[in-house]
Amino acid sequence: RYMRVLARFVLLLSVAAVACGPTVDLTKGLKITIVETGWYDAGIVNGQNKLVPSVTLTLTNLSDQKLVSLQLNASFRRVTEPEKEWGNRFLPAASSQGLASGATTDKLVLKSDLGYTGSDQSRQEMQQNSHFVDAKVSLTAKYSNIQWVRMGETPIERKLLTK
């Protein structure tokens, strides 16, 4: 009986130690490399050409721990309305095994659902329109049950993307 109680106690301590392991400061332990930004050609929607802001990036785990349940959120905003979210994209950024220490993800693409539409202009002409407003993307990340952390912001380049 004593051994069973002791075994349960040791098991409980082990589970608690794993669950309460040291946390990683993602601002130092996770590197975001922006590969490309631009305006993705989302095709024809309701008879109009559609362009949406897009960011392609990779994540590298600089910490000495595996980052489990790693998630990324991109919040797109027009530069003229920095407080108003225009669109967003949530992405599980690593498999259920997590992102190992020193590992880098494949390229991750995050696109807004919202963007610009136009029927009488080519996609290239749409970007030259006087009503076209540039955008930026703010990135936040989290792993496990840790709070979301602001990772940075980057402008969306005014160029046409087809992939």
Side-chain angles (χ1 to χ4, degrees):
R1 176 165 157 75
Y2 171 75
M3 292 304 286
R4 231 182 301 163
V5 170
L6 182 61
R8 286 183 183 162
F9 181 70
V10 169
L11 178 63
L12 181 62
L13 282 178
S14 299
V15 169
V18 170
C20 301
T23 60
V24 173
D25 177 354
L26 288 181
T27 61
K28 296 177 183 146
L30 184 65
K31 177 183 175 189
I32 296 179
T33 302
I34 303 294
V35 175
E36 181 176 48
T37 67
W39 293 86
Y40 175 72
D41 179 355
I44 297 176
V45 177
N46 296 326
Q48 297 186 320
N49 294 327
K50 184 171 183 179
L51 298 177
V52 296
S54 173
V55 59
T56 302
L57 52 84
T58 60
L59 304 174
T60 303
N61 182 353
L62 301 177
S63 78
D64 60 356
Q65 297 179 49
K66 181 190 299 186
L67 299 176
V68 295
S69 301
L70 184 60
Q71 301 169 8
L72 190 64
N73 193 62
S75 179
F76 296 93
R77 290 176 165 78
R78 292 183 190 134
V79 295
T80 57
E81 302 173 296
E83 300 304 315
K84 183 179 177 188
E85 185 176 84
W86 189 29
N88 64 59
R89 176 65 60 206
F90 168 80
L91 183 70
S95 68
S96 59
Q97 287 85 28
L99 185 61
S101 177
T104 299
T105 63
D106 292 332
K107 290 180 185 176
L108 305 171
V109 180
L110 297 104
K111 301 174 198 155
S112 175
D113 285 332
L114 301 176
Y116 292 113
T117 57
S119 58
D120 59 344
Q121 294 180 316
S122 72
R123 290 157 181 86
Q124 204 66 39
E125 290 171 328
M126 287 171 62
Q127 292 183 348
Q128 306 309 318
N129 187 302
S130 62
H131 297 290
F132 189 95
V133 176
D134 289 313
K136 60 185 175 180
V137 60
S138 298
L139 300 167
T140 54
K142 74 176 276 190
Y143 75 99
S144 189
N145 60 352
I146 305 301
Q147 295 280 340
W148 285 96
V149 176
R150 183 175 162 82
M151 299 298 293
E153 184 175 272
T154 192
I156 301 296
E157 189 177 343
R158 199 181 277 204
K159 74 175 183 181
L160 189 60
L161 303 175
T162 55
K163 297 182 194 178

